[in-house]
Amino acid sequence: MLVLGIETSCDETAAAVVDGGLSVRSSVVASQEDLHREYGGVVPEIASRAHEKAILPVVREAITRAGIVHADIDAVAVGHRPGLIGSLLVGVSAAKALAWSLGKPLIGVDHVHAHLHAAFLGATREQLDAAFPALGLVVSGGHTSMYRVESPTGLTRLGATIDDAVGEAYDKVATILGLDYPGGPALDRMAQEAGADDRGHDFPISRLGKGSLDFSFSGLKTAVLYAVRGVPGRDEPRDESSLSDQQRRDIAASFQRAASEAVRLKLGRAIAHVPGCRSLIVGGGVSANSRLRAEAGAFAGKHGLALRLPEMAYCIDNAAMIAGLGAVLIEQGETSGLGLSPVPTTAC
Amino acid sequence: MPESTPLILAIETSNPSMGAPSVALGLRIPGGVQTLASQTLAKSVRHSDDLMPAIARLFEGEDRGRLGRVLVSAGPGGFTALRVAIATAKMLGEILGPELVAVPSALVVADALERADAPTLVCLASKGQTTFGVRFDSAAWTDQPRVLGILDASGLEGADVRTIAGDEHLPTAIRERAGELGIRIVEPTLSAGALLRVGHALPATDPLELAPIYPREPEAVRKWRELHG
């Protein structure tokens, strides 16, 4: 089954063709990073305008790169939640018109759930079937949550962030350190530079009470802010320009260690809630982070779990994960009508 | 009418304050266009959800392969509604192959106005103290409208018009200045039927160039510039 996927939930316009839910025939992503850089974050109206402009060439390129013609498409999948409503509307409208024009089924896909499916793109059906039950972790700029994953389409949320998403904390700390937007990848690179001391600062690791499976990163972010600018009422105010390169590296590495340890701590608590757990599945933009990938690997090894991490290309927002999960849902008999609505929140 | 005659789809969702969003299906006849069917969409913000179902209903019993043209009212108007209509049109065009035509919404408004009242200023996308004005005079009418762009009450001085077509969002200052100048204000209306009449013979638009008419930069950008210079 060839599924055309469309993704426009935030600031990437993406289309992809995926065969059988797992084999990526094409994946095209038009990033809006340059449009938002000046503002230090995503401007929703700019994002919506850019999606409308990019959607046609991106869909065309995905079909061309897949080496197929329109008639080969068996279904259309679209990320319809969660996201910026104006951005989602462009993708949902385009997908509805494509599905109706082709006379093929339409399926709405939850973007957060699709990030978990991204870890199976390129896998075999046997690998997919053998992965469950699993512990799922989605870490991105908008989401930080853990799931008991019973099947490719069945999952139960175990915990989520109560304030900032981990990727949001990365971007904010990067801004505090004066790094370019988007700061997460730049911060990761800085933390890996030679001489960076991840014990240079003892930043707090949120626990949120014994047994809590939720996350909190606002305290960690504030601790970094105070380390850079001084504690209000105690220290002389300063800014990031007063930091030496070594101090920046130490703060970046120490922050990254604290963030990763917070995630590892909660994974350790959550695994008891997944009886017979076979795999750790990680998805989302922060799954590209080197330290988090290493921590996930160590955790999986310690608990005898298979580790499913997305290829780097599928860590960021992409449409291959939408098409892939869409195919699995359609195989189970699910479809959406032409009245499909975009929804700002996740159902997961 | 032969069954091979291409069908024309009109999508008018640009300004819900000037009439309920609607879609219509028609075909060219000697001397004009005939409306075969139309559908009115919900006037709420959720009318976007109903656009494609309404188009599907229009085509019940029709071969969608007969679609030869898609006319889209391109604004200025509600940004989101315009993007929904244009994204839909682009994908219909991509798969079914009809020509796409971006029709400025002011032309659609002018279709329902009395030419005897000209010169008329059609005001769209009013916000704060300003509006987007397009001037129509009786001689050229829709052939040569003059785009005045964003203007405030002081812009009426040189506009030289007898009537203004402005909706409930027309700024109070413009309404008051119009009264002082003896300019009558009339209610503008939009419909997919009017879009069919106005746009059926207009030249096609390159699908990659099809875009909403944005009269202003995003509000968030304007505020950001105010803060950061």
Side-chain angles (χ1 to χ4, degrees):
Chain A
M1 174 188 282
L2 284 176
V3 176
L4 172 64
I6 293 178
E7 155 64 32
T8 61
S9 64
C10 189
D11 60 342
E12 323 275 6
T13 313
V17 176
V18 172
D19 192 358
L22 299 172
S23 175
V24 180
R25 296 278 291 266
S26 68
S27 179
V28 178
V29 180
S31 171
Q32 301 176 8
E33 203 172 287
D34 291 344
L35 296 176
H36 301 287
R37 186 183 310 279
E38 177 182 359
Y39 309 103
V42 176
V43 180
E45 176 61 19
I46 289 178
S48 299
R49 292 184 183 194
H51 283 307
E52 190 283 312
K53 190 172 182 181
I55 191 73
L56 178 56
V58 165
V59 167
R60 277 183 181 172
E61 193 174 341
I63 291 170
T64 302
R65 281 198 206 172
I68 62 169
V69 295
H70 296 149
D72 295 330
I73 297 168
D74 295 306
V76 178
V78 61
H80 78 117
R81 68 187 306 171
L84 301 169
I85 201 76
S87 292
L88 288 169
L89 266 167
V90 174
V92 169
S93 302
K96 286 181 185 181
L98 282 167
W100 180 79
S101 300
L102 291 164
K104 296 294 167 69
L106 170 73
I107 183 77
V109 170
D110 190 296
H111 172 99
V112 177
H113 190 173
H115 267 308
L116 290 174
H117 189 82
F120 293 97
L121 294 172
T124 63
R125 175 62 67 163
E126 291 70 29
Q127 287 172 318
L128 178 70
D129 292 341
F132 307 99
L135 175 58
L137 171 69
V138 176
V139 277
S140 71
H143 308 278
T144 303
S145 35
M146 292 187 299
Y147 302 90
R148 178 173 55 244
V149 191
E150 294 95 8
S151 71
T153 57
L155 72 174
T156 306
R157 188 168 70 187
L158 298 173
T161 184
I162 60 168
D163 41 53
D164 290 346
V166 65
E168 191 179 359
Y170 264 86
D171 286 341
K172 287 176 177 172
V173 166
T175 301
I176 291 167
L177 288 172
L179 301 176
D180 276 347
Y181 171 87
L187 192 147
D188 187 18
R189 285 192 296 274
M190 179 173 275
Q192 292 182 74
E193 287 176 11
D197 180 3
D198 67 1
R199 301 274 169 184
H201 294 262
D202 190 18
F203 291 135
I205 297 167
S206 165
R207 287 169 171 76
L208 291 179
K210 192 177 177 184
S212 170
L213 300 181
D214 289 330
F215 298 89
S216 171
F217 293 99
S218 64
L220 172 58
K221 179 189 67 186
T222 302
V224 174
L225 181 73
Y226 288 174
V228 173
R229 297 185 186 167
V231 178
R234 191 192 74 185
D235 302 331
E236 278 295 308
R238 52 184 187 263
D239 62 26
E240 76 278 3
S241 63
S242 64
L243 296 174
S244 67
D245 288 346
Q246 182 60 44
Q247 286 172 318
R248 282 172 202 262
R249 281 193 287 270
D250 292 349
I251 290 172
S254 299
F255 162 78
Q256 184 146 280
R257 178 181 60 82
S260 299
E261 286 191 8
V263 172
R264 191 180 57 183
L265 173 81
K266 296 305 168 90
L267 286 174
R269 290 178 179 177
I271 195 163
H273 295 260
V274 187
C277 186
R278 294 178 177 178
S279 316
L280 173 63
I281 307 170
V282 185
V286 183
S287 66
N289 179 272
S290 61
R291 177 116 192 190
L292 191 125
R293 288 177 90 90
E295 294 275 4
F299 181 88
K302 180 181 169 189
H303 293 275
L305 306 176
L307 177 64
R308 298 296 327 181
L309 279 166
E311 290 178 24
M312 285 297 187
Y314 306 126
C315 292
I316 60 167
D317 289 352
N318 66 88
M321 65 184 193
I322 301 291
L325 181 55
V328 177
L329 290 165
I330 287 172
E331 281 173 7
Q332 294 187 354
E334 290 190 35
T335 57
S336 307
L338 291 176
L340 179 71
S341 297
V343 183
T345 56
T346 179
C348 298
Chain B
M1 196 62 58
E3 290 199 353
S4 59
T5 305
L7 297 171
I8 306 172
L9 173 68
I11 305 174
E12 174 52 83
T13 61
S14 64
N15 289 272
S17 61
M18 299 182 187
S22 57
V23 290
L25 198 58
L27 46 73
R28 276 191 200 172
I29 56 173
V33 63
Q34 177 188 355
T35 301
L36 300 175
S38 64
Q39 291 269 329
T40 300
L41 312 182
K43 205 170 175 178
S44 73
V45 291
R46 304 309 299 185
H47 66 75
S48 301
D49 295 344
D50 197 32
L51 176 59
M52 202 58 235
I55 292 171
R57 288 193 295 273
L58 280 182
F59 273 85
E60 280 173 9
E62 295 283 0
D63 173 9
R64 64 194 75 176
R66 281 181 64 194
L67 185 60
R69 291 204 122 198
V70 180
L71 316 177
V72 190
S73 186
F79 295 166
T80 299
L82 290 170
R83 282 192 286 267
V84 167
I86 284 174
T88 299
K90 283 179 173 177
M91 295 307 153
L92 295 176
E94 186 67 3
I95 304 300
L96 299 172
E99 293 179 330
L100 307 183
V101 184
V103 182
S105 300
L107 293 182
V108 188
V109 171
D111 178 76
L113 297 175
E114 292 293 334
R115 201 160 170 168
D117 291 337
T120 298
L121 183 68
V122 172
C123 293
L124 299 166
S126 297
K127 190 178 177 85
Q129 297 301 308
T130 64
T131 191
F132 180 89
V134 181
R135 184 183 184 279
F136 294 84
D137 70 36
S138 59
W141 201 233
T142 53
D143 291 336
Q144 285 183 304
R146 188 152 62 93
V147 178
L148 302 183
I150 294 293
L151 51 89
D152 60 15
S154 67
L156 292 186
E157 310 292 342
D160 183 28
V161 294
R162 290 178 60 198
T163 51
I164 288 175
D167 68 0
E168 65 204 38
H169 304 299
L170 188 69
T172 303
I174 291 181
R175 285 183 182 276
E176 290 174 352
R177 188 66 189 132
E180 292 163 6
L181 295 170
I183 299 171
R184 192 161 59 89
I185 295 176
V186 298
E187 195 72 24
T189 59
L190 286 164
S191 69
L195 177 57
L196 267 181
R197 286 190 294 277
V198 170
H200 74 91
L202 290 178
T205 309
D206 178 346
L208 292 171
E209 301 299 322
L210 185 66
I213 298 171
Y214 293 117
R216 303 176 181 87
E217 64 183 0
E219 185 69 5
V221 170
R222 187 187 65 75
K223 286 183 175 169
W224 193 91
R225 294 223 169 97
E226 278 178 10
L227 280 173
H228 297 90

